[in-house]
Every structure is written in C-alpha cells, then in structure tokens.
Amino acid sequence: MYSEIVMDHFKNPRNVGEIPNADGIGEVGNPACGDIMTFYIKVKDNILEDVKFKTFGCGAAIAVSSIVTEMAIGKTLDEAMKISHRAVIEALNGLPKKKHHCSNLGSDALHRAIEDYLAKQKGRAYHKPEDGPEVCNCPICDVEDPEEAPYCATVCDRTGT
Amino acid sequence: MYSEIVMDHFKNPRNVGEIPNADGIGEVGNPACGDIMTFYIKVKDNILEDVKFKTFGCGAAIAVSSIVTEMAIGKTLDEAMKISHRAVIEALNGLPKKKHHCSNLGSDALHRAIEDYLAKQKGRAYHKPEDGPEVCNCPICDVEDPEEAPYCATVCDRTGT
Amino acid sequence: MRIINLDHVAAVPVLPEVVKEMLPYFTEKYGNPSSIHSLGEEVEEAIGEARERVAALINADPSEIVFTSCGTESNNFALKGTVQANRARGNHIITSSIEHFSIMHAIKTLERQGVEVTRLPVDCYGMVDPDDVEKAITERTVLISVMHGNNEIGTVQPITEIGRIAREHHIPFHTDAVATAGVIPVDVKAMNVDLLSLAANQFYGPKGVGALFVRKGVRIEPLLDGGIQENGLRAGTENVMAIVGMGKAAEIAARDMQSRIDHMLPLRDRLMKEVPAAIEDVAVVGHPTERLPNNVSVLVRYVEGESMLLFLDMEGIKIASGSACISRSLKVSHVMLAMGIDAGAAQGSLLMTLGKDNSDQDVDDVVRVLPPIVQRLRDMSPLYKRSGKVKASC
Amino acid sequence: MRIINLDHVAAVPVLPEVVKEMLPYFTEKYGNPSSIHSLGEEVEEAIGEARERVAALINADPSEIVFTSCGTESNNFALKGTVQANRARGNHIITSSIEHFSIMHAIKTLERQGVEVTRLPVDCYGMVDPDDVEKAITERTVLISVMHGNNEIGTVQPITEIGRIAREHHIPFHTDAVATAGVIPVDVKAMNVDLLSLAANQFYGPKGVGALFVRKGVRIEPLLDGGIQENGLRAGTENVMAIVGMGKAAEIAARDMQSRIDHMLPLRDRLMKEVPAAIEDVAVVGHPTERLPNNVSVLVRYVEGESMLLFLDMEGIKIASGSACISRSLKVSHVMLAMGIDAGAAQGSLLMTLGKDNSDQDVDDVVRVLPPIVQRLRDMSPLYKRSGKVKASC
Ligand SMILES: Cc1ncc(COP(=O)(O)O)c(C=O)c1O
Ligand SMILES: Cc1ncc(COP(=O)(O)O)c(C=O)c1O
C-alpha cells in the first residue's frame, strides 16, 4: 500500500514532539475524520529554525507530518508557505489515492503555524479556521460526504451527479 | 436423469410401428411442444389384442409410449381406459418432474385410440380433441405458458400468483 | 470410451496453466483485498494483475473492468444499472429478439417496471439490420443492447456498425460478448461499445467469474450494493482465486486465439458440410460466414433433439440442442422462432460447439455415428415421410 | 516470522479437506448441470449433495437453499427480491442501525426508489430491542431484516424473539447470518426466520459462493434474471466447484462446531480481559455475553487504528479495525456511532477475530506486542493526556 519512503517515515518519524514556547502553533483535522496534526515552529530571521509535530492518525498522516518537518526546516517562511500537497506526495514517492485528502494535511498544519506566528508578530490572535467535525472528503471523487454517496465512484465518474 | 427402466424402454422400445387396418387410432401432442404420439390398436372380444405406437419426442416420450403398449396389451377396453399418468410413472420407476406433463401422454393416446374404435363401432366419426398448438404446460408449476412465466417456480411457489 | 466434447458452450475444462495459477489462493494467499495488512496486499496486487490481463484481451483500460460472478450478472448489471442511472433521461431501450435469456429476462423485468422496449427483428440468418437500430432510436432511448455472437446459431452481429450509430446519437451501447470474448477478437475501442459482458468459463477459465467492461464516463449504478469493492461498482468479498484464473485464461486466450481459430475453422466447416451430406433433410442454421468459428447448428427434420442427444451420449459424444424438451422452460428456442423457423422444425435442433482439443477424428465419429441414430428415430416418428418439408432457414 | 491471523472475519484459508473435494471440478468434472448428457449429470448430483449439506447446517429443506456468489448477493437478493414481490402489499421495511454495508446500502437504494424504512436503534451493547420491532410494524410492512451476529462488535441479536413477533404479524423476516452460520448454531426453524443469508468463506469454505435460505411459500423475485437455474431463483452458470466446496465446508462446520467454539471461547475471554488490563484507557465494545465466540472488539484511546495495525503487521499479527482511515469510504464505523460511541473514540478500534487454529501463544504475543506499540503512538499523539475520557461503551 505504502511506498518505502512512507514506511520509513512512519516507522522512524523525524521531529516528533512539541516545542516549548513555540513561536507558532498550527493544527488541522479532527478526530472524527481520523487525523489531527499539530505543528510547532521556531522562527529565527524569517527562517524555520525548528519544526516539530504531534499527529493522531493513520500511517500516511504520520509520514506526511514527518516529511513536512524535514522539508520545512531551514526554509524561509515564504518558501515554507509554498510547500504544496503535491510536493509532499512527490517527496514521499506517492500516496494511495484515498490518502490524498484527509491524511495529506501536514503542509496545511505548517502553514497555520506560520500564520499563527505572523499574526502574533502583528499582535493579533490568529483565528484557526474551523474544520467541520463531520465533513470528510470522499476518497474517490471529492463528494463531500461518502456516507451519503457510498458509491462515489459511481456517483461522480459514472452518473455524473 | 432417467431411471433404468426408462432407459431400457428408450433404447429398446417395444411395439413400435403401425397396425395396418387398425381398429382404432389415437394421437396426442403437437410438434411445437416437442412430443407427438400416435397409437394403433387391434381389438378382439373387447380385449386389446395388439397395440403399436409411433412417437416423435424426447426419451421420456418414447419410453412412456413403449411401456403403455406393454401395459395395455391383453387388457379389456375398460381396464385400458383406467391406465393413468400416475400408473405409467410408477411402471417406469419415476420420471423427472419436468417430464410429467408434455411427455407423459402415452395413456392419453391409447385412450383416444379406444374412443376412436368405440365411435367407429357406433358408426360415428370420432372427433379428436384439439391440442392447442402453442400452449405447453410449465414444467414446474402448471402455469400455462412458461414463456410468460419464466420463473414459474417463483411465480407459483413463491409469489403465489 | 472416448469422450468427444462438442458442447463447449456449456462447459470447458479449466486449463492446467490456469489451475496452477489459482491453487495458491486456496490456503496460502487467502487474504481479503480489503485488509490493510500484508495478507490483503498480496491478493490486491493479484487482482490488479488479473484486471490488466482481462482489459488487454478486449483493449480496455484496467479501470474499466468490473469483475462479477458470471455472464448473467454482467448482463443484469449492464441493463438494470444503466436504466437506473439514466431514469431522469429516458425510459426506452432497444434490443434484439435473439438475446440470451440473461438479457431477455432482465429486460422483461425492466418492462414490468415500466421501461419501454423495442425488440429488433432478425433475418433468416439471425442477423440484426443496423438500419433498424437507427430507426428505433427515440428521444427517450437510454440504452441499446445487441449481443455480439449468438451461442445457439453462431451468427455474429454487425456490432461496430451498431456502435457507430449509437455513438452518433450519444446512446450507451452494450453488447453481450459472453460467447465471443476470448474466442474471437473483441476490441471495445474499434467496436464502439460502452459496456461489454464476458465470462471466464467460455475461454478455459473457471466458472463463477465474469466481468463487465464499463467505459469511463458511462453512467451506471451497482446491482449489488454493499462495501466499496470494484471501485464502488460491485460489492462483496472478491472471489480472488477465480479472478486470478480469469486473468490467466484471458492472457492465454489472447496469445493462442489465432491458432485456436485456425484449428477450429476447418472442423466447423467439415461438420457444416458433412452432416447435411450424410443425412437427408438436414438444414444448417445461422449465418454461413459471419459466424463463430466454434459453432455448428443444424436442424434434423422429423425427430426431436433430446432423443438424438441421449443416443449420442451413449457413444460418448456430448452435444446440445435448442429443443423444447431440453430447455428447462420446456419452450423451443426463441432464437430460432425469431429467425422464422417453425416450432416443430426447431425440435430437431443439434448444436455442436467446438473447442481447441477437438480433432478430425471427432468429426469423423459424428458423421459416422449420427446417421443411424437419426434413421432409427425417424423410423419411430409419426412425422417422418408424412409432413411436407418445412422452411428451416434461408 | 510467525504469522498470527486474528482477522478471520476478513478471510480464512480453505480447509484441505474442502480443497480436495473441489479439485476434480477444475478439469475432470467440468460439466454444466444444465446439460442433459452425462457430463452434466454428474455435476448436477454434486450440487444436489452440496445443497443437502448446506441445508443440514441450518436445519432447512434442501429445496429452500438458493446458491449465490457471496453474502452480499444473498443480502441484496433477500431485500430487493421480497420488496419487489410484495409491491402490491406494502412499502415499508424495518431494519436495525448496525447492519452490514450490504444490507445498509441495499436498503438505501430501495429508499431512493420510494420504500419507507424504519431503522431501529441499538443500546450501548449494540443490541436491538424486540419491543421496538413490534412497535415499528405497520399495515404496510413487507419485510423485517435484522442481522444475527455483528461482524464488528460481536453482539448476537435476539433473533428468535424478533422472529416470533414477525410471525405473529405475518411479516417475512430476514436475518443476515453471514457472521454466524457455520460458526455458532443456526436453526431456521427454531429461530423463526423466513430468509437467511450465509457465505462459505466465513466457515473455511471458498470465496465466491454464498446462499440464501428462502422458506417455502415466501414471495421473492430473482435478482439475477436469465436461465432457470436454482429453481428459477438465481440465473447464471452454476459455480459448481465453489458450491461443492461450500457443501463440504458446511458438513465439516456442523461436525466441528462445538469443538471449535470450545477452543475459541477461552482465547476470546483472555483477550477481552488481558488487553484492557495491559493498556490503560482501553474499552471493550459490544455485548459481554451475547457475543460471537470468535470476536474481540476494543477501543484504544488517543490513537488511530491503521497506525496500530501497521506496526502489528510488522510483527506478523494480522487484525482489523473499524477506523475511518481503514474503511474504503473513509468513514468511521456506523455500527459504533449507532451504539453511541463518538467518532473520535471509534478511530482507536481494534477488531480481533479468532479462528480454530489460534492458540494461547497468539494471545500471549498480542498482549506482549501491543502495549509498546500503543505507547509509541500515544507519545506521538496530540490527543494523549489532553482530552478527557470519552464514553466508549456501556
Ligand atoms: C455480517 C456480514 N454480512 C454480510 C457480509 C458480506 O459478505 P460477502 O463479503 O461474502 O459478500 C459480511 C462480510 O464480512 C458480513 O460480515
Ligand atoms: C451469449 C451468452 N450470454 C450470456 C450467457 C450467460 O453466462 P453465465 O452462464 O456465465 O451466466 C451465456 C452462457 O452461455 C451466453 O452464451
């Protein structure tokens, strides 16, 4: 199911943990969907000096979190904001399609941590967007609620509705 | 599929043929249903002195015809008129259920031959009943046209209609 | 006694190579592809490989193959699934009058539920006229389903041409290729079909597995609702072993197709010529050239099929018939009736279907054994030499 | 590495005795039971014998057994077939909220077609209250379908009692016994059921074959239309080999059932006691006593199922989970939600299903290997020691 790189990061995740007095904290996901990622960043001279994470989730979620920390450390904030879902998938040498949505949220959590840092710099509290507690994406075709669209392959690709 | 007695009568049918100047001739069936049986009888002193048949049909039809001739020869007309479908099936040591209807017409053909004889005795022409050309019985449950009731098992036993 | 199987449409043995590929799935690789642990993974890969092989046989993309449990399921799924998915668009389907029961009766069920049906006639060779398809199309037509090769009379329909018409009118086109896929070339792209049914047991694969090709973008709903197997289109624990067997059989069929055809064609042509030459009043049924390479269908006048089959069986020769006594519904073949053959004549149907292992010796035996059997039954038949000749075919 | 299969609900190997009985049907006895020649006859007899064996397993008459391709097909057939056959009588079905997908989604399809559905709640053990069934019955009710044993939480429903109520009201009663038939005693007479689904691969038979028990007199229409196989109730060339395998597996299951149960029960009870004892914040799911003898279902707080399964797999331990990440629909188990377990807690689901070959050693290994895996993942989890305890079960 998973590539070797994914399994390596899952088995030996890099940069697990919290950063005490972090400069920014970002969290995405919710337990109902099965994945929660919390990122902690330390910033110095506009550069990510350290990034750590804690993740509740499947193998992919843990591997994604781990590789995102590796990709981010040493980058400028601007560069780090440009780390995309696609780049993460490529760095992991691919992810199963059904893991593209819920589990590939590591860069989002990182971005939120950076936004949190930037908001704090400006003296404002960063408002974390709400991750709806019940809406997870359909693994196959972006139908919002697979419960209501059990055959999302059908519903999307086939019946086109 | 068939009992040993059926196979024996099928392989070596008794009394096949026509009787020239027969005292009575009876025919049942039609080619659309797959079975036609023609019976010829010779009567002497109210007794079936000889019975012969010609049959177009399946293995069961041939075996039924053959055993009916054996059962009939030597019987009085009254006795022969009492040879039933059931008695024929018993004499053959059973027939597959789906053969009970179309193929078990030997005694009917015999009875018609006797009626033909009796009508002639009274100087009247015997009117052979019409065998509808298209109506065959459903093998499983007596629904008239299996074409219209392809799942006669269902239609009869299950849906009760 | 030497057994001569000339009833390959009913059953073929599974190829030893295919059996070999299937065996590990009994007790070693018994996982469920839904499982995420490694027992599941190895079987998921095996199913993927089978999907590629089946796709290759008919020139489809692997993602367009849905595995089912048999040709009948594929046909029911194709018809009921597309009608259901297109209910908002229309309510009319076009089919032929010579389809297999699994099409014919599925369509009757749809008809009872209010779907309108046009059943196209066939000519005396059992051939559908593509012009009739075009004429039958209405605003409300949601599906055209015409079989590829007919299992009873051997006639192969002008699918490419019908597909072209369907595509021009943007109507999904299904063909039942159970009797052809793995036997003669089938190319879903060249033939312009959107849905195509096939079954493994027609090409030396196991029973209990079939497939439906569903072109990407075609609207269809599942027949079996449940878990998200087969990309959401067919629920139920995958029949891994059988699917693997179908894949292997498909691979071999693609490889050996031409040599099998080259082997069977001369045997078919000998039977079509020599049986009528050896027995008077025998007519060949179906198209003389647009015909399955393994199919010989004849009518023997004045006698009934089952009685011939029983005597042939005693000699080790296994064949089939479209007679009423043999069918489980006790009705004469609707295919022959649709061709204009009368019900009485159709009782004398003999259907011989060849396989890759038949030989000239088999043909010799049939031509030697059949005539005395027919004569014996004719001597018993009240119709022989009584009724006039009946139109049996073209 | 020693492989420990604790995922028998997903897959079991086929028994060697069963394989042996199946093998001749690949290449020797490859006939089609529809054929009238002798190739067909021998397989028709074999199917008859299998039908008797499956009937004996559930105390039915052989004529009441319809072979299908899987449990999912049996369930779809039972639901759609009875609703269709009873359309004139009513339009309402009663079911539970913890059914398998193949019931749940088939019912959703019926609902989209206008059928009214009552889904009964369950208590925190996952148990349906028979009184609720009685209250839900209306004039228009044509079917009640409540599963026998639940594959995810192990709870066994009060089927006999529900069946008694259904019978009093003359309403057909179906039960999905895929997880129970061949595992614990199932008696269609004593349980008052009219329709019952089972699948061979749950009791050491092959994949690709199931059956539906249809009591004589129950109205039902086929799901697969076509030829008159299975007494007109299920068309398609019979999967002879698999049917024979199901028959043999049923015979063995009936013979060995009690000894298998006696073997599994102590292992189940050890796991249910020792796993929660070895790891803090672990809750047992499902009924403590009215429970499948092979089912252990627990919730491990603060961690997600897939990540536990991957680490266990590396140690050779194969188990399952009802977590969202694992399900193909990426939804948490509807069964747990129906029991009142919150979606977050359900992510930590671990499902262990025992088989006849599991041993005390297997239990020892799980109890030894699991705690450090859980600790490692908890140390990584942002939820650990943060959120309060959540109601996991009763
Ligand atoms: C309770 C229950 N019902 C139905 C099914 C579906 O059976 P199948 O996968 O054979 O279609 C399963 C499968 O595990 C099951 O556990
Ligand atoms: C043309 C055709 N369609 C469909 C089928 C049905 O296939 P199955 O028996 O695998 O369900 C057959 C079977 O012989 C066939 O010949």
Side-chain angles (χ1 to χ4, degrees):
Chain A
M1 179 163 72
Y2 289 130
S3 71
E4 270 178 45
I5 302 181
V6 174
M7 286 310 288
D8 176 46
H9 277 271
F10 169 67
K11 283 190 265 185
N12 308 298
R14 328 321 188 217
N15 306 305
V16 178
E18 300 177 14
I19 301 179
N21 305 317
D23 295 325
I25 301 179
E27 186 169 284
V28 291
N30 67 67
C33 280
D35 294 295
I36 301 180
M37 302 176 183
T38 313
F39 270 65
Y40 301 85
I41 57 172
K42 193 100 214 154
V43 182
K44 194 173 175 187
D45 300 336
N46 206 37
I47 281 182
L48 288 169
E49 202 183 48
D50 198 10
V51 181
K52 286 200 183 305
F53 78 94
K54 280 207 154 181
T55 286
F56 163 91
C58 62
I62 290 170
V64 161
S65 306
S66 167
I67 204 157
V68 166
T69 63
E70 280 197 338
M71 291 166 80
I73 289 171
K75 284 221 169 57
T76 67
L77 296 186
D78 271 2
E79 284 166 352
M81 286 302 286
K82 287 189 190 127
I83 296 174
S84 66
H85 290 179
R86 181 137 306 280
V88 173
I89 291 173
E90 274 166 24
L92 286 171
N93 206 4
L95 270 183
K97 198 169 177 198
K98 74 169 196 167
K99 299 289 184 185
H100 284 195
H101 286 289
C102 303
S103 309
N104 188 6
L105 301 173
S107 51
D108 298 349
L110 172 72
H111 298 164
R112 284 190 186 172
I114 294 172
E115 280 158 6
D116 179 44
Y117 163 77
L118 295 173
K120 276 183 196 148
Q121 291 295 95
K122 296 190 185 139
R124 288 192 269 114
Y126 169 63
H127 280 289
K128 170 179 172 288
E130 276 293 323
D131 295 327
E134 291 302 339
V135 178
C136 313
N137 279 311
C138 167
I140 305 175
C141 64
D142 286 317
V143 167
E144 281 228 318
D145 188 347
E147 172 83 15
E148 291 311 305
Y151 314 108
C152 33
T154 317
V155 175
C156 319
D157 294 1
R158 312 283 178 180
T159 70
T161 51
Chain B
M1 178 164 74
Y2 289 130
S3 71
E4 271 179 44
I5 301 182
V6 173
M7 285 310 286
D8 176 46
H9 278 272
F10 170 67
K11 282 191 266 185
N12 307 298
R14 328 317 190 224
N15 305 306
V16 178
E18 301 178 12
I19 300 179
N21 304 316
D23 295 326
I25 301 178
E27 186 169 284
V28 291
N30 67 67
C33 281
D35 295 296
I36 301 180
M37 301 175 183
T38 312
F39 269 65
Y40 301 85
I41 58 172
K42 193 97 211 154
V43 183
K44 194 172 174 188
D45 299 338
N46 206 36
I47 283 182
L48 289 169
E49 204 184 46
D50 198 11
V51 181
K52 285 200 186 303
F53 78 93
K54 280 208 153 179
T55 286
F56 163 91
C58 62
I62 290 169
V64 161
S65 306
S66 166
I67 204 157
V68 166
T69 63
E70 280 198 338
M71 291 165 81
I73 289 172
K75 284 218 169 56
T76 66
L77 296 187
D78 271 3
E79 284 166 353
M81 285 302 285
K82 288 188 188 123
I83 297 173
S84 67
H85 290 180
R86 181 138 307 280
V88 173
I89 292 172
E90 275 166 24
L92 286 171
N93 206 6
L95 270 184
K97 200 170 176 200
K98 73 169 195 166
K99 299 290 185 186
H100 283 196
H101 287 290
C102 303
S103 310
N104 188 6
L105 301 173
S107 50
D108 298 348
L110 172 72
H111 299 162
R112 284 190 186 172
I114 294 172
E115 281 159 5
D116 180 42
Y117 164 78
L118 294 173
K120 276 184 197 150
Q121 289 297 95
K122 295 190 186 139
R124 287 189 270 116
Y126 170 63
H127 279 287
K128 171 178 174 285
E130 277 292 323
D131 297 326
E134 292 302 339
V135 178
C136 313
N137 280 309
C138 169
I140 305 176
C141 64
D142 286 318
V143 167
E144 278 228 321
D145 188 347
E147 171 84 12
E148 290 311 305
Y151 313 108
C152 34
T154 317
V155 174
C156 320
D157 295 0
R158 311 282 179 182
T159 71
T161 51
Chain C
M1 186 168 53
R2 207 168 79 86
I3 301 295
I4 300 177
N5 181 2
L6 282 166
D7 192 13
H8 286 83
V9 75
V12 295
V14 183
L15 286 180
E17 277 168 278
V18 173
V19 176
K20 197 170 152 232
E21 194 124 339
M22 290 170 72
L23 288 178
Y25 293 88
F26 272 122
T27 45
E28 286 162 49
K29 303 184 182 182
Y30 63 85
N32 184 323
S34 297
S35 303
I36 70 146
H37 49 66
S38 48
L39 287 182
E41 260 179 45
E42 65 184 6
V43 296
E44 185 158 24
E45 276 164 32
I47 289 179
E49 190 180 359
R51 205 183 299 283
E52 282 169 24
R53 288 166 164 181
V54 171
L57 179 68
I58 59 171
N59 195 24
D61 188 80
S63 69
E64 295 171 323
I65 300 296
V66 182
F67 286 113
T68 65
S69 69
C70 57
T72 294
E73 186 189 329
S74 299
N75 282 340
N76 275 262
F77 174 26
L79 297 171
K80 296 173 181 173
T82 45
V83 166
Q84 189 64 31
N86 286 289
R87 274 198 301 184
R89 285 153 199 250
N91 199 27
H92 174 240
I93 58 188
I94 299 171
T95 185
S96 84
S97 43
I98 55 150
E99 298 293 318
H100 185 263
F101 281 128
S102 51
I103 295 285
M104 186 167 111
H105 289 153
I107 287 180
K108 275 197 183 158
T109 293
L110 289 169
E111 215 172 12
R112 279 199 294 276
Q113 294 167 3
V115 173
E116 280 160 42
V117 181
T118 301
R119 290 181 184 82
L120 302 174
V122 292
D123 67 14
C124 63
Y125 295 118
M127 193 70 98
V128 171
D129 183 343
D131 283 348
D132 288 344
V133 176
E134 182 135 37
K135 281 183 216 137
I137 292 172
T138 75
E139 288 270 284
R140 309 267 304 147
T141 308
V142 293
L143 184 68
I144 298 170
S145 180
V146 175
M147 78 192 311
H148 189 201
N150 185 289
N151 47 309
E152 276 182 51
I153 56 165
T155 304
V156 176
Q157 303 296 332
I159 293 305
T160 307
E161 183 60 13
I162 298 173
R164 199 188 47 68
I165 293 167
R167 194 144 296 172
E168 271 171 25
H169 291 80
H170 305 289
I171 298 169
F173 176 41
H174 169 255
T175 191
D176 171 1
V178 170
T180 52
V183 178
I184 59 173
V186 168
D187 180 326
V188 293
K189 294 203 179 74
M191 286 159 65
N192 304 313
V193 302
D194 300 307
L195 300 129
L196 182 141
S197 304
L198 61 163
N201 65 320
Q202 298 286 322
F203 49 90
Y204 299 93
K207 296 187 184 72
V209 60
L212 183 68
F213 157 75
V214 183
R215 185 180 296 288
K216 239 193 178 73
V218 167
R219 290 157 185 265
I220 190 164
E221 289 198 8
L223 185 65
L224 300 194
D225 291 308
I228 308 191
Q229 286 96 353
E230 295 298 303
N231 208 21
L233 287 177
R234 203 280 187 183
T237 297
E238 292 89 340
N239 189 356
V240 184
M241 187 172 79
I243 288 171
V244 166
M246 181 168 191
K248 187 68 187 172
E251 188 193 54
I252 297 170
R255 184 190 73 199
D256 294 353
M257 187 174 290
Q258 196 52 52
S259 65
R260 287 181 189 168
I261 293 174
D262 292 344
H263 173 73
M264 293 188 299
L265 259 186
L267 301 178
R268 179 196 80 178
D269 290 341
R270 275 194 63 198
L271 283 167
M272 295 224 296
K273 215 180 100 224
E274 295 178 26
V275 170
I279 307 169
E280 59 168 3
D281 287 338
V282 167
V284 169
V285 179
H287 203 282
T289 55
E290 297 300 304
R291 181 176 197 97
L292 291 170
N294 59 357
N295 180 292
V296 179
S297 181
V298 299
L299 295 181
V300 181
R301 284 292 291 147
Y302 317 123
V303 292
E304 187 278 334
E306 189 200 277
S307 52
M308 290 189 276
L309 263 54
L310 289 173
F311 279 122
L312 287 167
D313 190 23
M314 293 174 207
E315 310 275 345
I317 300 173
K318 316 292 176 184
I319 71 172
S321 164
S323 92
C325 289
I326 288 177
S327 78
R328 281 180 176 167
S329 67
L330 295 189
K331 274 292 223 184
V332 97
S333 154
H334 64 283
V335 177
M336 301 220 202
L337 297 181
M339 294 166 74
I341 295 171
D342 87 55
Q347 306 292 0
S349 149
L350 288 183
L351 173 59
M352 293 172 258
T353 39
L354 294 152
K356 66 183 184 59
D357 298 325
N358 285 117
S359 63
D360 274 301
Q361 174 72 50
D362 295 349
V363 175
D364 293 346
D365 282 3
V366 169
V367 174
R368 178 176 53 76
V369 166
L370 186 58
I373 290 175
V374 170
Q375 194 53 50
R376 188 168 170 180
L377 288 165
R378 281 181 173 173
D379 287 343
M380 230 185 272
S381 169
L383 299 176
Y384 188 43
K385 305 257 148 118
R386 184 165 92 181
S387 49
K389 284 204 185 172
V390 175
K391 179 181 150 231
S393 193
C394 290
Chain D
M1 184 168 57
R2 207 168 79 85
I3 300 295
I4 300 177
N5 181 4
L6 281 166
D7 192 13
H8 286 83
V9 75
V12 296
V14 183
L15 287 179
E17 279 169 276
V18 173
V19 176
K20 198 172 148 230
E21 193 123 339
M22 290 170 73
L23 288 179
Y25 294 87
F26 273 123
T27 45
E28 287 162 50
K29 304 184 183 182
Y30 63 85
N32 184 324
S34 297
S35 303
I36 71 147
H37 50 65
S38 48
L39 288 182
E41 261 179 44
E42 64 184 7
V43 296
E44 185 157 24
E45 277 164 30
I47 289 179
E49 190 179 0
R51 205 182 299 282
E52 282 168 23
R53 288 166 164 179
V54 171
L57 179 69
I58 59 171
N59 194 23
D61 187 81
S63 68
E64 296 172 321
I65 300 296
V66 182
F67 287 112
T68 66
S69 68
C70 58
T72 294
E73 186 189 327
S74 298
N75 282 340
N76 275 261
F77 174 26
L79 297 172
K80 296 173 181 173
T82 45
V83 167
Q84 189 63 30
N86 286 287
R87 274 197 301 183
R89 285 152 200 250
N91 200 27
H92 174 241
I93 59 188
I94 299 171
T95 185
S96 83
S97 43
I98 55 150
E99 299 293 318
H100 185 265
F101 281 129
S102 51
I103 295 284
M104 186 166 111
H105 288 152
I107 287 180
K108 273 196 186 162
T109 292
L110 289 169
E111 217 172 10
R112 278 199 296 274
Q113 294 167 3
V115 173
E116 281 159 41
V117 181
T118 302
R119 290 181 184 81
L120 303 174
V122 293
D123 66 15
C124 63
Y125 296 118
M127 194 70 98
V128 171
D129 183 343
D131 284 348
D132 287 343
V133 176
E134 182 135 37
K135 282 184 215 135
I137 292 172
T138 75
E139 287 271 286
R140 309 268 303 148
T141 308
V142 294
L143 183 68
I144 299 169
S145 180
V146 176
M147 78 191 312
H148 189 202
N150 185 289
N151 46 309
E152 275 182 53
I153 57 166
T155 303
V156 176
Q157 303 296 333
I159 293 305
T160 306
E161 183 59 14
I162 298 173
R164 199 187 49 66
I165 293 167
R167 192 142 298 173
E168 271 170 26
H169 292 81
H170 306 288
I171 299 169
F173 175 42
H174 168 255
T175 191
D176 171 2
V178 170
T180 52
V183 178
I184 59 174
V186 168
D187 180 327
V188 294
K189 294 202 179 75
M191 285 160 65
N192 305 315
V193 302
D194 300 307
L195 300 129
L196 182 140
S197 304
L198 61 162
N201 64 321
Q202 297 286 324
F203 50 89
Y204 299 93
K207 296 188 184 71
V209 60
L212 183 68
F213 157 75
V214 183
R215 184 180 297 289
K216 238 194 178 72
V218 166
R219 288 157 187 266
I220 190 164
E221 289 198 7
L223 184 65
L224 299 195
D225 292 307
I228 309 190
Q229 285 97 352
E230 295 298 303
N231 209 22
L233 287 177
R234 203 280 187 183
T237 296
E238 292 89 341
N239 189 356
V240 184
M241 188 174 77
I243 288 172
V244 166
M246 181 167 192
K248 187 68 187 173
E251 188 193 54
I252 297 170
R255 184 190 73 198
D256 294 353
M257 187 173 292
Q258 195 53 51
S259 65
R260 286 181 189 169
I261 293 174
D262 292 344
H263 174 73
M264 293 188 299
L265 260 186
L267 301 178
R268 179 197 79 177
D269 291 341
R270 275 195 62 200
L271 282 167
M272 295 223 295
K273 215 179 101 223
E274 295 179 26
V275 170
I279 307 170
E280 60 169 0
D281 288 337
V282 167
V284 169
V285 179
H287 202 281
T289 56
E290 298 300 304
R291 180 176 198 96
L292 290 170
N294 59 357
N295 179 293
V296 178
S297 181
V298 300
L299 296 181
V300 180
R301 283 293 290 148
Y302 318 122
V303 292
E304 187 279 332
E306 189 200 277
S307 52
M308 290 188 277
L309 263 53
L310 289 173
F311 278 123
L312 286 167
D313 190 22
M314 292 174 207
E315 310 275 346
I317 300 173
K318 317 291 176 184
I319 72 172
S321 164
S323 93
C325 290
I326 288 178
S327 79
R328 282 181 175 166
S329 66
L330 295 189
K331 274 293 226 183
V332 98
S333 154
H334 63 284
V335 177
M336 301 217 202
L337 296 181
M339 294 166 75
I341 296 170
D342 88 55
Q347 305 293 358
S349 149
L350 287 183
L351 172 59
M352 294 173 258
T353 40
L354 294 150
K356 65 182 184 60
D357 298 324
N358 285 117
S359 63
D360 274 301
Q361 174 71 50
D362 295 348
V363 175
D364 293 344
D365 282 3
V366 170
V367 174
R368 178 176 52 76
V369 167
L370 187 57
I373 290 174
V374 170
Q375 195 53 50
R376 189 169 169 180
L377 288 165
R378 281 181 174 172
D379 286 343
M380 230 186 275
S381 169
L383 299 177
Y384 189 44
K385 303 257 148 115
R386 184 164 95 181
S387 49
K389 284 207 185 166
V390 174
K391 177 181 152 237
S393 194
C394 291

